[in-house]
Amino acid sequence: MAYAYEDQVHESILRMVPADGKVIGSIGCGPAATEGVLVRQGREVHGVDVAQEVYEIARPRLTSLRIISPDDRTPFAPESLDGLILADVIEHLPAAWDALRQYAQAVRPGGWVIISVPNMRYVEAMARYVLRGDWPEEETGIFDRTHLQFMTHRRLARWIHQAGLTPERWFRRPDPRHPRRSWVLNLLNAGLLGLLSNLLDYQIQVRCRKPKGAAEAR
């Protein structure tokens, strides 16, 4: 089966990566174009993915790469990483809140976790759901047919807390397909003092930290 997702560098992910962190894991790394940028910067990036078809492309770009089972919730040893990238991954998982808790255990205290998920409350998605009464099955994007979780800012914030992590910064992510429309909507949102922010983000993106000295989430 052909791999459905594009082989490209995602600047929206790179901007979330902090200056600290030498040893980084990436779960669901895909072709690893984004992770390859970090390797060229001198960091170690260890990728795992469930898709065998990405191996030949991704392996030369990474420090290491393993193909894992879809139900592997411990692909890295506990506290073995300075940082972890979860870019458009957890929305595809059953019981994703528990998966996030287990993934976070691979990060050392003081380390970071980057999460990016689709925003199912994005204004266009809500218009199709509420006005048309439909939630289509598409190849990629918010309506990706392989999504198992309905993601919102509040739901992700709850999962982060349950995983023993602390949000360090939330990042705005407008719709990359319609930059002019996003500019107009963001201008309107500014006039409304940010009341529409959670409806205008195409993706929900956040950088978290594992508190130093904190006990593991149970």
Side-chain angles (χ1 to χ4, degrees):
M1 183 176 65
Y3 190 71
Y5 305 105
E6 294 180 350
D7 181 10
Q8 64 181 29
V9 174
H10 293 282
E11 296 293 342
S12 69
I13 301 300
L14 288 176
R15 66 176 177 161
M16 294 194 289
V17 177
D20 63 294
K22 173 70 174 179
V23 181
I24 300 169
S26 180
I27 297 177
C29 62
T34 303
E35 290 83 352
V37 174
L38 299 174
V39 172
R40 292 193 296 273
Q41 292 174 353
R43 309 205 201 196
E44 292 182 26
V45 184
H46 304 275
V48 297
D49 204 286
V50 300
Q52 179 66 48
E53 56 267 32
V54 305
Y55 189 88
E56 294 301 325
I57 298 174
R59 179 61 191 91
R61 297 171 173 174
L62 295 164
T63 308
S64 71
L65 172 63
R66 289 185 296 117
I67 303 301
I68 62 172
S69 167
D71 59 357
D72 187 348
R73 300 295 177 89
T74 56
F76 299 107
E79 297 188 5
S80 62
L81 303 173
D82 301 319
L84 178 64
I85 299 173
L86 297 170
D88 300 299
V89 170
I90 61 175
E91 68 270 20
H92 297 272
L93 303 177
W97 50 90
D98 190 56
L100 177 59
R101 179 186 63 82
Q102 292 181 283
Y103 291 160
Q105 293 176 8
V107 178
R108 301 182 181 104
W112 48 266
V113 179
I114 284 173
I115 303 171
S116 177
V117 296
N119 179 21
M120 273 64 169
R121 292 184 70 217
Y122 176 56
V123 61
E124 181 182 308
M126 284 293 94
R128 294 182 72 170
Y129 178 64
V130 175
L131 300 180
R132 300 185 190 179
D134 190 21
W135 195 270
E137 296 79 39
E138 298 180 353
E139 288 293 323
T140 59
I142 290 176
F143 298 108
D144 187 322
R145 62 188 178 185
T146 65
H147 289 168
L148 299 181
Q149 303 296 338
F150 193 94
M151 299 307 305
T152 68
H153 289 77
R154 184 172 294 182
R155 192 180 198 204
L156 181 58
R158 182 171 68 250
W159 293 1
I160 289 168
H161 174 75
Q162 292 171 349
L165 302 172
T166 301
E168 183 174 72
R169 180 182 171 186
W170 296 88
F171 293 79
R172 299 297 313 280
R173 173 62 167 155
D175 191 339
R177 305 167 302 166
H178 307 293
R180 180 173 297 179
R181 184 175 69 184
S182 294
W183 183 86
V184 172
L185 289 173
N186 283 322
L187 185 63
L188 174 63
N189 185 45
L192 294 173
L193 303 179
L195 293 176
L196 301 179
S197 294
N198 287 357
L199 300 177
L200 300 183
D201 285 337
Y202 184 71
Q203 290 175 295
I204 305 169
Q205 297 187 326
V206 60
R207 182 173 67 233
C208 310
R209 290 278 176 178
K210 177 180 280 190
K212 294 182 179 180
E216 294 288 357
R218 299 296 180 185

